[in-house]
Amino acid sequence: MASGDLEVEYKKLVKEISECRQCELYKYRKNPVPGEGPLNTPIMLIGEAPGKQEDETGRPFVGAAGKLLTKLLEEAGIGRKNVYITNVLKCRPPSNRDPKPEEVEACSPYLRQQIKLIKPKMIVCLGRHSAKLIFSWAGIPWTNMKRQHGQVYEGVIEGLKVKIVATYHPAAALYNPQLRKELEEDFLKVIGPLAKQILEGKIETTKRTTLLDFLRGKG
Ligand code: URA
């Protein structure tokens, strides 16, 4: 898609999200939080849902967890400005409660459309809600974060081959030194090196898997 068309399609999506009433969360939101970052990046990070400061500003990961995420990205040599950041839910659940299954289902088409437009080569799932959803879309079994964090998986989502890494949610690591250590290690040892390779174009470009590719064994 030409970059002009991509921006037009993206703006349409943002407008749809801002007018969304598919679940009851629209009643409580100050601002929807669609996501932010360059549309031509190969790296997408997916969190859970906006919190208080995100709801007030309309931007993802700007509160305490966001500050930690920004630090992790910088220290891993990726840089926040080089990645697209979004959430499973685009509106804040009251009192930051867990997303309800019906809210995840109602909001999922927006995340799918973001993946279709941005075509990431790598998705980083921040927290179990994001991991559970993305792994299910990619057809990869999901058990729990303790077992599966910091491992690189490969799957196909929306016809795109994508590398997927799950790690702990930065908010969970804020007051838990052991989780924080594991989260930092995931960023330094796995997410950073892989993202850098992808950003530097050292890993094969993402393409849509066509039926012909599949039949030729290139799927
Ligand atoms: N937690 C999330 O999952 N997302 C945000 O944007 C902020 C906090």
Side-chain angles (χ1 to χ4, degrees):
M1 193 183 290
S3 71
D5 296 343
L6 174 58
E7 274 173 32
V8 171
E9 289 304 309
Y10 184 75
K11 276 191 188 148
K12 269 195 222 162
L13 177 63
V14 169
K15 185 164 183 286
E16 254 185 76
I17 292 171
S18 69
E19 293 167 354
C20 180
R21 294 183 166 209
Q22 295 294 323
C23 78
E24 63 163 23
L25 295 181
Y26 79 89
K27 294 181 193 160
Y28 314 108
R29 73 176 171 223
K30 284 192 186 141
N31 290 292
V33 182
E36 72 176 19
L39 301 182
N40 62 356
T41 179
I43 317 286
M44 182 183 274
L45 273 67
I46 305 174
E48 179 180 322
K52 191 169 187 294
Q53 280 176 267
E54 290 76 20
D55 179 58
E56 276 161 11
T57 57
R59 295 181 56 211
F61 281 98
V62 289
K67 291 203 171 74
L68 174 55
L69 177 63
T70 304
K71 189 167 177 276
L72 291 164
L73 285 166
E74 302 305 325
E75 286 175 358
I78 309 169
R80 179 167 172 139
K81 67 175 190 316
N82 294 315
V83 301
Y84 185 86
I85 305 177
T86 187
N87 284 300
V88 172
L89 297 189
K90 311 307 188 209
C91 295
R92 182 191 182 203
S95 314
N96 298 345
R97 63 156 169 73
D98 278 355
K100 292 182 183 172
E102 61 269 28
E103 292 161 355
V104 173
E105 199 185 323
C107 217
S108 285
Y110 300 127
L111 184 55
R112 279 199 179 270
Q113 183 63 9
Q114 284 170 311
I115 293 173
K116 264 196 212 175
L117 292 176
I118 293 167
K119 299 188 175 58
K121 291 172 196 162
M122 175 180 183
I123 292 179
V124 179
C125 302
L126 300 167
R128 65 195 159 92
H129 292 284
S130 165
K132 206 173 143 197
L133 184 68
I134 293 300
F135 276 58
S136 79
W137 286 356
I140 304 166
W142 175 254
T143 54
N144 59 53
M145 197 57 90
K146 198 169 170 44
R147 279 202 190 168
Q148 286 179 262
H149 75 94
Q151 295 189 44
V152 182
Y153 295 85
E154 259 189 29
V156 176
I157 301 180
E158 296 295 334
L160 299 163
K161 271 209 282 194
V162 60
K163 297 196 189 295
I164 304 169
V165 182
T167 191
Y168 294 100
H169 194 290
L174 280 177
Y175 306 103
N176 183 329
Q178 179 55 32
L179 282 196
R180 183 162 174 153
K181 188 169 162 266
E182 291 180 42
L183 177 64
E184 283 169 353
E185 273 182 18
D186 286 350
F187 267 85
L188 285 176
K189 295 187 182 160
V190 182
I191 297 166
L194 181 59
K196 275 192 273 181
Q197 272 191 312
I198 292 175
L199 284 164
E200 286 163 12
K202 290 191 184 141
I203 283 189
E204 179 203 334
T205 54
T206 304
K207 57 180 176 51
R208 287 196 182 273
T209 305
T210 63
L211 182 58
L212 205 58
D213 289 332
F214 185 75
L215 293 172
R216 286 174 177 157
K218 292 182 185 165

